[in-house]
Amino acid sequence: MTGFVVTPPPQTSLPVVGTSVRFPVRRVYCVGRNYLAHVREMKGNADERDPPFFFQKPADAIVHDGGVSPYPPGTADLHHEVELVVAIAKGGRNIPVQSAHEHVYGYGVGVDLTRRDLQAVAKNKGWPWEMGKSFDHSAPIGALSPAAVVGHGSRRIRLKVNGVVRQDSTTEHMTWSVAEIIAELSKQYELHAGDVIMTGTPEGVGAVVAGDRIEAEVEGLATLTVTIGPEAT
Ligand code: MN
């Protein structure tokens, strides 16, 4: 006799550009403080080559392109952070930098929605970032493009709110490259196919409110559009 005592949750997945077959998502890892200009605007004291640190968002926090992310509870300062997203095709532990790109399925665009006021409380009290970062609907991620098609090079990264550019940089400014992030993360966790990594945000983060329309772009990848909805009741 097999089965489940309650209905199993659905498998989260992301669409892939050019095919109807989807990428199943296992975990969503995120990198903190990966663009120096953003570290500076947050008044952080991290140095340029401080080791990267990581946190996670639940896979079911993903919101798809064209979707709505309801304004989350418990905050008066919801921030956008546009980020390059890396999708892992081949897992491993202690992956060398030199071969890290062989583990990448493809790339997409994400927004690390952040309850900045709750993150500030956590920082001050030495608490985990969980409450500021890992809430429901906190991980809008667009369609993936296979690396076999788009390659691994640096790209311009931008975010607009209601058509006004808020963030405009290039992934060349990442403190830790995609290959270095994979190498470092795989020292701490065994990576698996289906893992995705949000690679940190450049400067220009700011608040959004219900009704705002966010457009997140990484040059050459599928654009992600998400609307902030009214707070769920
Ligand atoms: Mn972030």
Side-chain angles (χ1 to χ4, degrees):
M1 177 98 186
T2 58
F4 299 98
V5 297
V6 297
T7 305
Q11 169 69 55
T12 302
S13 64
L14 291 167
V16 175
V17 173
T19 175
S20 60
V21 184
R22 298 174 71 90
F23 180 90
V25 178
R26 174 179 176 265
R27 291 186 181 174
V28 180
Y29 291 103
C30 304
V31 182
R33 298 178 185 141
N34 201 29
Y35 290 77
L36 193 59
H38 172 61
V39 173
R40 295 286 178 254
E41 78 177 344
M42 298 302 294
K43 299 182 170 46
N45 55 9
D47 201 353
E48 187 160 4
R49 292 299 283 185
D50 276 357
F53 71 94
F54 304 100
F55 58 91
Q56 291 182 46
K57 291 174 184 266
D60 70 356
I62 288 176
V63 175
H64 296 293
D65 178 46
V68 175
S69 186
Y71 198 91
T75 184
D77 198 19
L78 177 67
H79 273 209
H80 56 77
E81 298 188 352
V82 64
E83 311 204 355
L84 174 70
V85 175
V86 182
I88 298 295
K90 188 175 83 169
R93 291 191 187 91
N94 298 312
I95 296 167
V97 172
Q98 294 74 16
S99 57
H101 283 171
E102 297 168 16
H103 294 257
V104 174
Y105 173 75
Y107 296 97
V109 186
V111 179
D112 169 12
L113 288 173
T114 300
R115 293 192 282 210
R116 192 70 75 200
D117 41 5
L118 300 193
Q119 184 195 28
V121 169
K123 283 180 179 176
N124 289 337
K125 293 183 181 278
W127 290 347
W129 284 19
E130 182 94 8
M131 298 284 277
K133 288 291 195 180
S134 308
F135 51 92
D136 295 340
H137 316 290
S138 62
I141 298 178
L144 300 175
S145 295
V149 176
V150 298
H152 298 276
S154 294
R155 299 166 182 281
R156 189 176 185 184
I157 181 168
R158 298 207 304 166
L159 181 140
K160 295 183 220 169
V161 177
N162 303 326
V164 178
V165 176
R166 294 267 192 100
Q167 296 186 265
D168 188 357
S169 186
T170 161
T171 59
E172 204 175 343
H173 291 159
M174 295 200 310
T175 302
W176 296 86
S177 69
V178 167
E180 289 170 332
I181 289 166
I182 290 169
E184 289 293 319
L185 184 60
S186 69
K187 291 179 186 172
Q188 307 291 341
Y189 300 90
E190 180 177 359
L191 296 183
H192 290 270
D195 291 340
V196 300
I197 308 168
M198 303 183 76
T199 58
T201 195
E203 71 276 18
V205 301
V208 285
V209 297
D212 281 348
R213 175 187 163 90
I214 297 173
E215 290 168 85
E217 308 168 346
V218 173
E219 184 183 6
L221 307 182
T223 298
L224 165 68
T225 302
V226 63
T227 303
I228 303 300
E231 188 169 339
T233 53

